[in-house]
Amino acid sequence: MGYMDNEHLNNLRHSCAHLLAKAVLELYPEAHNAIGPSIENGFYQDFDLGETKISENDLPKIEKKMLEILPTWKHFEFKEITIEAAREVFKHNPYKVELAEEFAAGGNKLTTNNPGNFLDLCKMGHVENPSKELQHFKLLSIAGAYWRGSEKNQMLTRIYGTCWPSKEELKKYLIMLEEAKRRDHKKLGPELDLFTFSDLIGSGLPLWTPKGTILRNLLDDFVWQLRKIRGYDQVDIPHVTKKDLYEKSGHWDKFKDELYKIQTREGHLLAMKPMNCPHHAQIYARKQWSYRELPQRYANTTKVYRDEQSGELAGISRVISITQDDAHVFCRISQAKDELQKIWEIVHEFYGSFGMKLRLRLSLRDPDKPEKYLGDKENWDKAETILKETAKSNKTAYVEAQGEAAFYAPKLDFIATDSMGREWQVATIQLDISMPESFDLTCINEKGEKERIVMIHAAIMGSVERFLSVLIEHYAGAFPVWLSPVQAIILSISDKQNEYAEKILKELKDNNIRAEMNSDNETLSKKIRSAEMQKIPYLLIVGDKEVAAEAVAVRQRGKTTEREQGGTEISKPNVGDLRQVKIEEFIKKMSKEITSKE
Ligand SMILES: [Zn+2]
Ligand SMILES: [Zn+2]
């Protein structure tokens, strides 16, 4: 289950955010608390601290205060109040007043809650018995966050924390966090020389190094191979468009403020594409299709651009230039189920190869807000039913998420579990009946009549950058051989073997093995250490014995100790113990490993 599905955990964490607010207000009486929601694995609470600056060094003091207050919190007491009363009660806190006004204006009842002499205003659930249930928490970090997420507003101080039902669960989570820190892609990516950022170019705009590009291309090619055998064709599109395209698709209305716009010399307004669907729809629209020619399946790995707030950008998991391994299938509604099945298989084969388990979420309309969605109710019902049937025919359980659909289509969202048990939303499949409507996409059916088609959106990795951030952490940078940017490195014991090492290097490269050689004037143990830091799967050591035997001594990554794989502990090299392998034999074994994606 995802965190959204667990009401008790949400109540627990949100309640803990109240406790944090109370503690901070006691320690810093000039502070105002804003919002304090539960989030995945924890909660946060935003504060306006006035002139006061706090750092992570202050967290233990705040935790201590929370523990002091906790025994007095027997229960949350709710009281309905009028907006006038709310204005009075929270007159020193402009944030609460703003929320109260807004909440009341929406016709909602205002309730204050009062645990242990602390009046607060919110609309989330709480635990029954805070003094007992809120004992197992920890404050984790501090960040800046704009009020209501807008840079036009005051910058607030956000304190993150976590809270669990038991001491054991808290402990387990904190250990997992430590491990996650060690695997953090923001640290590993540059260490493994996969990507970099430049101040001159800007945050959220990653630059891909040769090694990182190898990784990206291999993943993209894997997806393409899975698509190719299922009848997809590749297409390509420009990165900008006249705004007319988005006016017609409906995106302009919804997203015009989030688009990058370009004013041309002649005064025309162009936009950088934030998605590819309308462009692909125009490729389909280039001619009138007969039903016999359908489905048309267009695949295109290409960048899209989204104007994210700088505070939201994080390593490569959230970027401005996003590469999507996008595809769109244009077909008759009667073909939709078969096409969904093909995509379903691609998704499972792809994620299965990384040992990631998938969980399914069906993202549907918010039935209370039909105005948020394009197209009529009947079509939405049809699309939602087909998606449900796909899940059922694959005997896969799913959770339904009301209100999580895209504004143009319901979706099947796949949520992958990584090697640390963390969940990530990865692939999505959307069955879209509204965009073909906006662009009037049709085919001529058996009766010679125009028939409205449907459009299936099917990204497998979704954002290549975000998927790579997940994958780097999933493997702690120790990629399987087929994906490793450098698959083998030759380490000569002394200069004497360099000529032989060169010969082997050429042989490996001739056999499509990505190999390097380290002929630096260093000790062998230093060379081994540096190769292991790079998490290269095979180290090929050559000394006089190997030269004489036309062989290499093979040292395989992660075969010595479990901990070595993460790079924290390097065992002492013991060349004498290594297995000597003839070079042809090594090449044969590796080639097999690479093709089978072991
Ligand atoms: Zn609350
Ligand atoms: Zn799309």
Side-chain angles (χ1 to χ4, degrees):
M1 287 221 296
Y3 84 99
M4 291 294 283
D5 312 321
N6 193 325
E7 199 183 341
H8 176 69
L9 274 181
N10 279 327
N11 291 350
L12 184 75
R13 288 159 182 169
H14 168 64
S15 302
C16 202
H18 280 294
L19 181 63
L20 168 60
K22 171 69 174 165
V24 169
L25 264 52
E26 279 207 3
L27 288 168
Y28 311 98
E30 70 284 14
H32 299 308
N33 61 315
I35 54 164
S38 72
I39 53 172
E40 187 165 13
N41 293 317
F43 60 88
Y44 67 77
Q45 175 79 54
D46 284 349
F47 298 97
D48 179 348
L49 294 172
E51 296 299 303
T52 312
K53 289 263 175 299
I54 62 165
S55 75
E56 280 165 24
N57 295 330
D58 297 304
L59 295 181
K61 185 171 79 185
I62 301 170
E63 283 174 350
K64 207 174 139 225
K65 195 63 168 176
M66 289 165 76
L67 286 171
E68 247 173 70
I69 297 164
L70 187 59
T72 66
W73 280 29
K74 297 299 178 203
H75 53 88
F76 285 86
E77 213 171 88
F78 297 94
K79 213 174 106 195
E80 215 179 293
I81 57 166
T82 62
I83 180 64
E84 291 76 24
R87 278 190 205 116
E88 182 53 31
V89 171
F90 297 106
K91 67 179 176 225
H92 299 296
N93 186 331
Y95 308 101
K96 293 284 168 190
V97 172
E98 188 178 323
L99 291 173
E101 302 271 5
E102 198 179 278
F103 205 49
N108 298 294
K109 282 186 191 143
L110 281 174
T111 10
T112 55
N113 60 65
N114 188 348
N117 198 24
F118 173 55
L119 209 56
D120 208 347
L121 178 79
C122 71
K123 48 180 179 176
M124 294 183 89
H126 305 87
V127 289
E128 292 290 320
N129 189 343
S131 61
K132 276 222 168 62
E133 294 178 68
L134 297 184
Q135 292 183 35
H136 313 291
F137 67 82
K138 175 123 185 90
L139 299 182
L140 298 171
S141 59
I142 296 184
Y146 292 110
W147 167 238
R148 320 214 87 167
S150 165
E151 73 284 356
K152 292 185 196 100
N153 293 334
Q154 173 82 18
M155 171 72 94
L156 304 175
T157 303
R158 176 169 294 178
I159 302 181
Y160 286 97
T162 189
C163 184
W164 294 83
S166 71
K167 197 176 161 186
E168 294 67 43
E169 282 164 284
L170 174 64
K171 197 176 155 201
K172 209 174 127 202
Y173 178 66
L174 293 177
I175 291 172
M176 195 281 287
L177 272 190
E178 274 308 303
E179 178 62 16
K181 224 180 253 174
R182 198 173 69 75
R183 292 172 177 241
D184 186 356
H185 79 272
K186 297 191 277 305
K187 176 174 146 289
L188 279 178
E191 266 174 33
L192 299 174
D193 195 24
L194 301 176
F195 57 83
T196 184
F197 288 92
S198 157
D199 283 343
L200 293 176
I201 292 169
S203 53
L205 296 164
L207 305 168
W208 293 91
T209 61
K211 282 181 187 163
T213 306
I214 289 174
L215 206 51
R216 287 165 59 95
N217 289 347
L218 285 165
L219 290 168
D220 187 43
D221 193 54
F222 184 16
V223 172
W224 168 239
Q225 293 308 324
L226 296 172
R227 282 177 170 156
K228 195 174 153 191
I229 55 172
R230 290 172 174 88
Y232 281 71
D233 293 310
Q234 285 177 326
V235 295
D236 199 24
I237 56 177
H239 290 208
V240 293
T241 171
K242 274 162 54 179
K243 74 179 181 32
D244 308 43
L245 182 70
Y246 297 143
E247 280 171 347
K248 194 137 196 187
S249 69
H251 288 95
W252 191 256
D253 239 20
K254 301 251 171 196
F255 298 119
K256 62 173 174 295
D257 295 333
E258 292 154 49
L259 295 179
Y260 282 110
K261 296 173 201 78
I262 305 166
Q263 192 80 43
T264 69
R265 277 185 298 189
E266 292 172 353
H268 301 297
L269 190 57
L270 301 181
M272 301 287 287
K273 66 180 160 87
M275 81 284 298
N276 308 306
C277 344
H279 278 84
H280 286 178
Q282 291 311 296
I283 299 180
Y284 179 84
R286 74 191 184 279
K287 61 169 272 199
Q288 179 64 65
W289 298 92
S290 148
Y291 72 95
R292 286 188 210 87
E293 298 168 288
L294 264 45
Q296 288 288 312
R297 309 177 186 93
Y298 300 154
N300 185 192
T301 298
T302 177
K303 283 198 172 65
V304 298
Y305 303 87
R306 294 187 187 161
D307 190 0
E308 302 274 5
Q309 286 171 354
S310 50
E312 304 279 326
L313 301 170
I316 53 166
S317 56
R318 189 113 181 230
V319 294
I320 290 170
S321 56
I322 307 158
T323 315
Q324 289 184 335
D325 62 333
D326 216 353
H328 294 98
V329 176
F330 300 86
C331 65
R332 305 175 80 180
I333 192 152
S334 57
Q335 297 170 315
K337 230 185 133 201
D338 282 350
E339 292 306 310
L340 288 169
Q341 185 58 31
K342 290 192 177 94
I343 302 162
W344 180 283
E345 283 159 17
I346 295 174
V347 168
H348 284 82
E349 191 168 338
F350 183 77
Y351 288 95
S353 80
F354 305 111
M356 290 180 177
K357 284 220 168 61
L358 293 173
R359 185 168 75 78
L360 184 63
R361 181 175 64 204
L362 185 54
S363 292
L364 308 171
R365 281 161 300 179
D366 181 343
D368 300 331
K369 291 183 182 142
E371 73 283 358
K372 270 176 66 183
Y373 307 95
L374 283 183
D376 63 30
K377 185 178 171 304
E378 200 187 318
N379 284 339
W380 271 84
D381 288 343
K382 231 184 266 173
E384 291 183 355
T385 307
I386 295 173
L387 291 182
K388 280 180 198 171
E389 280 167 8
T390 302
K392 279 187 194 133
S393 66
N394 285 287
K395 299 189 174 52
T396 302
Y398 57 85
V399 290
E400 288 190 11
Q402 309 268 1
E404 291 294 308
F407 77 93
Y408 50 85
K411 314 184 277 174
L412 291 174
D413 293 323
F414 295 91
I415 294 136
T417 304
D418 72 10
S419 60
M420 300 177 63
R422 296 177 301 178
E423 290 198 322
W424 306 95
Q425 193 195 308
V426 284
T428 62
I429 314 177
Q430 305 168 346
L431 177 53
D432 184 352
I433 299 185
S434 46
M435 207 176 291
E437 196 83 41
S438 315
F439 287 119
D440 192 20
L441 305 181
T442 58
C443 70
I444 301 296
N445 67 16
E446 296 89 334
K447 294 180 216 146
E449 297 159 346
K450 272 193 182 175
E451 179 183 303
R452 174 76 61 228
I453 60 149
V454 298
M455 184 171 169
I456 302 171
H457 309 249
I460 306 301
M461 289 184 267
S463 152
V464 174
E465 287 78 13
R466 189 165 172 283
F467 177 68
L468 263 169
S469 76
V470 172
L471 203 67
I472 291 170
E473 298 183 5
H474 175 65
Y475 284 120
F479 301 107
V481 174
W482 76 272
L483 261 184
S484 290
V486 180
Q487 296 168 316
I489 185 163
I490 307 157
L491 310 175
S492 48
I493 292 179
S494 75
D495 285 353
K496 278 196 295 176
Q497 298 92 28
N498 280 354
E499 198 181 321
Y500 176 69
E502 294 269 13
K503 194 185 118 205
I504 290 177
L505 181 67
K506 185 174 180 302
E507 226 166 302
L508 292 173
K509 285 186 172 171
D510 288 349
N511 284 279
N512 296 316
I513 292 168
R514 294 185 293 275
E516 278 182 0
M517 162 177 167
N518 183 349
S519 55
D520 290 355
N521 195 12
E522 299 270 15
T523 61
L524 179 63
S525 67
K526 263 207 175 145
K527 287 183 187 177
I528 290 179
R529 194 184 168 79
S530 118
E532 283 184 338
M533 292 296 281
Q534 289 301 304
K535 315 211 175 189
I536 299 170
Y538 288 103
L539 278 54
L540 309 182
I541 296 158
V542 294
D544 285 341
K545 269 197 296 184
E546 283 72 30
V547 177
E550 299 227 323
V552 289
V554 180
R555 183 185 165 93
Q556 199 175 343
R557 180 188 63 197
K559 282 284 152 142
T560 28
T561 65
E562 261 295 291
R563 291 171 64 196
E564 189 183 32
Q565 226 181 12
T568 42
E569 190 186 86
I570 306 289
S571 60
K572 287 264 175 330
N574 187 348
V575 183
D577 286 349
L578 296 178
R579 205 162 59 92
Q580 220 183 56
V581 182
K582 288 270 183 212
I583 190 68
E584 307 78 62
E585 194 193 320
F586 175 76
I587 289 171
K588 224 165 105 190
K589 177 181 178 303
M590 267 207 82
S591 305
K592 195 173 144 265
E593 234 175 282
I594 292 165
T595 3
S596 65
K597 296 197 168 59
E598 272 172 37

